[in-house]
Amino acid sequence: MTATLPPGPSAPPVVQTLRWLVRPIAFLESCRRQFGDSFSVSFLGFETPMVMLSDPGAIRALYSVPEHGLPPGRTIALRPMLGPRSVLLLEGREHLARRRLMLPPFHGERMRAYESIVREATAREVARWPAGEPFAIHPCMQRVTLEVILRAVFGVTDETRRGRLAERLSDLLARTSSPSLQFGVLLSRRLGGPDPLAALRSLREGIDALLEEEIAERRADPRADILSLLIGARFEDGGALDDAEIRDQLMTLLVAGHETTATGLAWTFDLLLRNPAVLARLPGADDDYVHAVVSESLRLRPVVPLAGRRLSAELRVNGSALPAGTDVTPAIWLAHTRPDRYPEPYAFRPERFLDGASPGFAWVPFGGGVRRCLGAAFAEMEMRVVLGEVLRLRALRPASPRAEHVARRNVTFSPARGTRVIALPRT
Ligand code: HEM
């Protein structure tokens, strides 16, 4: 079966895995130089190679078949935290039913309703920043995006409750993303023994109890937050989400939407600090320009490097026929840095996104097709508003002359040192 897969590096899986973990960009670029638009890599723990694509036509072909399955490993890693009915983990008809129900609350035009929440959360965070002292902006962005989710999505208006949830959720997220816990989970699956996730159970139960209170309150008194909209939403057969499932979807939105958006913002600031002409133009710029800055940042520093599928049927790309069952993913970094689609692909040029032409499947920071990011419009709104507000309140300078390296952090590409900046109040 592997005979029809495109060629790829011949190093043993352990070497390929280490290269991906430690120097992902160098690994991807060297595969592109050697093998071109598509290639097969072998990672430890995967039984078959994974095919990576970077040609927009091939990516379109992959994403236009709704029947393809989830990429391997997603369910094992996320199910304990998200729960069995998370939209991120279901497939087929069950997945589609939830997509249909959850899409309207995330529709682009609704997003204006949340701008003031984002502005307030940003202003509150910026007020804590030291003047003239270097600090890493990534953790600041994590606090902002967590607060925004708790207010706009969960609808928690009470500050004490929000503080309590924020503290426990940050704790849970930090503990579940620690490499030693992930390694422990893999080890206990292989060798048996105590489940390292058991230690997290009481933390999870505490969070669930707080979420149940919020769900009950919103049922009694619906508001404009996304939780209220989910409570009021109906499946095509008229049924509604029950409390246990609402909890799963809230945790899903938190996990999918918090770290990703914070990382996207940290990258945007890093790119701006290295491109002073764009930075200087931003304060007071119109929404279209700020939006173009966000699009260009997500192009040049895609936060999520892979968004793959397991093929449900043969896929023909770049002269090969990939058989059903193959794991295939766009290599998003490579798709975004094609010189035939983006002249001078490594230059940061928001103007690329101002002529109104759609980049199609050469721009896939949010994946595509029937599993495309549900929160894309939310994330773009949030990034645009945070950028505008930070730069209205503070003038930023780089704390280091060197641009950030790409470090892999869980499933994201993240700035290695957290984007260190110096901020001064604007006079
Ligand atoms: C810059 C920020 C973000 C990035 C880069 C991002 C990226 C992605 C990617 C690559 C996927 C997988 C798509 C695929 O497999 O085709 C995804 C799925 C998803 N994202 Fe996002 N995301 C971001 C922010 C958000 C936010 C703010 C939310 C919600 C508040 C969110 C909710 C989701 C959900 C629910 C899914 C699962 C969709 C499904 O399986 O049907 N994301 N995201």
Side-chain angles (χ1 to χ4, degrees):
M1 171 167 140
T2 53
T4 53
L5 301 188
S10 55
V14 61
V15 174
Q16 296 190 43
T17 309
L18 278 175
R19 290 183 69 197
W20 168 253
L21 291 179
V22 181
R23 300 277 312 277
I25 303 302
F27 179 61
L28 289 170
E29 296 278 2
S30 100
C31 289
R32 163 154 66 190
R33 277 194 302 277
Q34 241 183 311
F35 307 106
D37 282 346
S38 54
F39 48 87
S40 306
V41 300
S42 294
F43 289 144
L44 271 189
F46 288 72
E47 281 161 21
T48 49
M50 179 186 286
V51 176
M52 294 198 175
L53 309 172
S54 62
D55 170 56
I59 296 172
R60 177 197 308 267
L62 175 69
Y63 281 153
S64 3
V65 179
E67 290 79 22
H68 292 328
L70 283 171
R74 185 183 282 188
T75 314
I76 292 178
L78 292 175
R79 199 174 155 136
M81 171 126 90
L82 305 186
R85 281 183 283 171
S86 160
V87 66
L88 199 64
L89 305 180
L90 291 173
E91 300 189 70
R93 281 173 46 197
E94 289 188 305
H95 169 254
L96 217 57
R98 275 140 192 99
R99 282 280 298 189
R100 294 211 175 105
L101 179 140
M102 292 173 75
L103 270 170
F106 283 98
H107 191 271
E109 282 158 26
R110 285 211 71 257
M111 293 302 121
R112 292 260 167 215
Y114 302 117
E115 288 187 5
S116 57
I117 290 180
V118 179
R119 227 172 274 124
E120 272 173 46
T122 310
R124 204 203 299 235
E125 170 60 32
V126 169
R128 306 165 43 154
W129 292 358
E133 303 270 337
F135 64 96
I137 210 168
H138 190 186
C140 308
M141 294 298 111
Q142 290 170 321
R143 281 192 292 273
V144 171
T145 59
L146 183 57
E147 166 139 355
V148 166
I149 293 214
L150 290 181
R151 286 182 63 184
V153 178
F154 294 19
V156 189
T157 42
D158 182 89
E159 256 185 62
T160 320
R161 280 199 193 174
R162 208 159 60 227
R164 213 160 44 199
L165 253 176
E167 195 182 306
R168 294 186 189 180
L169 288 169
S170 315
D171 193 11
L172 184 73
L173 292 170
R175 291 217 245 158
T176 46
S177 66
S178 88
S180 64
L181 180 86
Q182 290 177 353
F183 192 65
V185 171
L186 289 176
L187 218 61
S188 80
R189 286 227 159 77
R190 193 149 191 155
L191 307 173
D195 177 2
L197 291 174
L200 294 181
R201 200 155 296 140
S202 72
L203 183 57
R204 260 243 357 228
E205 283 165 5
I207 292 172
D208 285 357
L210 291 173
L211 290 182
E212 276 156 25
E213 272 177 42
E214 297 297 330
I215 296 170
E217 279 188 19
R218 232 62 90 249
R219 276 199 194 283
D221 176 21
R223 298 194 295 248
D225 49 76
I226 287 179
L227 168 55
S228 297
L229 298 174
L230 291 179
I231 287 173
R234 294 290 174 266
F235 289 114
E236 279 169 359
D237 67 3
L241 299 174
D242 62 30
D243 284 2
E245 171 155 0
I246 290 182
R247 190 221 74 99
D248 291 0
Q249 308 307 2
L250 289 178
M251 287 303 285
T252 301
L253 296 170
L254 170 80
V255 167
H258 152 67
E259 178 67 36
T260 43
T261 312
T263 306
L265 279 161
W267 276 127
T268 309
F269 284 114
D270 195 56
L271 289 163
L272 289 170
L273 293 169
R274 317 293 152 197
N275 292 275
V278 182
L279 182 60
R281 190 173 156 185
L282 267 182
D286 60 32
D287 282 0
D288 286 348
Y289 188 73
V290 191
H291 188 87
V293 168
V294 169
S295 304
E296 175 68 345
S297 166
L298 291 171
R299 177 189 75 81
L300 199 47
R301 295 289 182 272
V303 173
V304 179
L306 309 175
R309 306 284 183 266
R310 177 162 283 178
L311 298 186
S312 61
E314 182 181 90
L315 179 75
R316 292 182 165 274
V317 292
N318 306 130
S320 345
L322 309 175
T326 311
D327 295 320
V328 183
T329 181
I332 299 178
W333 174 281
L334 297 180
H336 286 185
T337 50
R338 293 175 67 89
D340 60 344
R341 299 301 291 263
Y342 300 104
E344 294 189 59
Y346 298 99
F348 180 68
R349 285 207 198 122
E351 292 70 25
R352 298 180 204 274
F353 289 89
L354 282 178
D355 64 4
S358 160
F361 286 82
W363 190 81
V364 284
F366 296 111
V370 77
R371 300 207 83 103
R372 184 176 189 268
C373 178
L374 256 174
F378 191 97
E380 290 181 308
M381 173 280 294
E382 185 173 1
M383 289 177 68
R384 175 173 56 70
V385 174
V386 171
L387 276 181
E389 190 65 6
V390 165
L391 296 172
R392 190 179 71 77
L393 296 168
R394 292 289 182 277
L396 296 185
R397 283 197 282 123
S400 146
R402 279 184 302 127
E404 288 278 347
H405 285 299
V406 174
R408 237 194 18 88
R409 198 174 138 122
N410 299 321
V411 297
T412 63
F413 276 175
S414 171
R417 288 163 299 147
T419 305
R420 296 185 60 76
V421 304
I422 295 172
L424 286 171
R426 282 203 191 269
T427 43

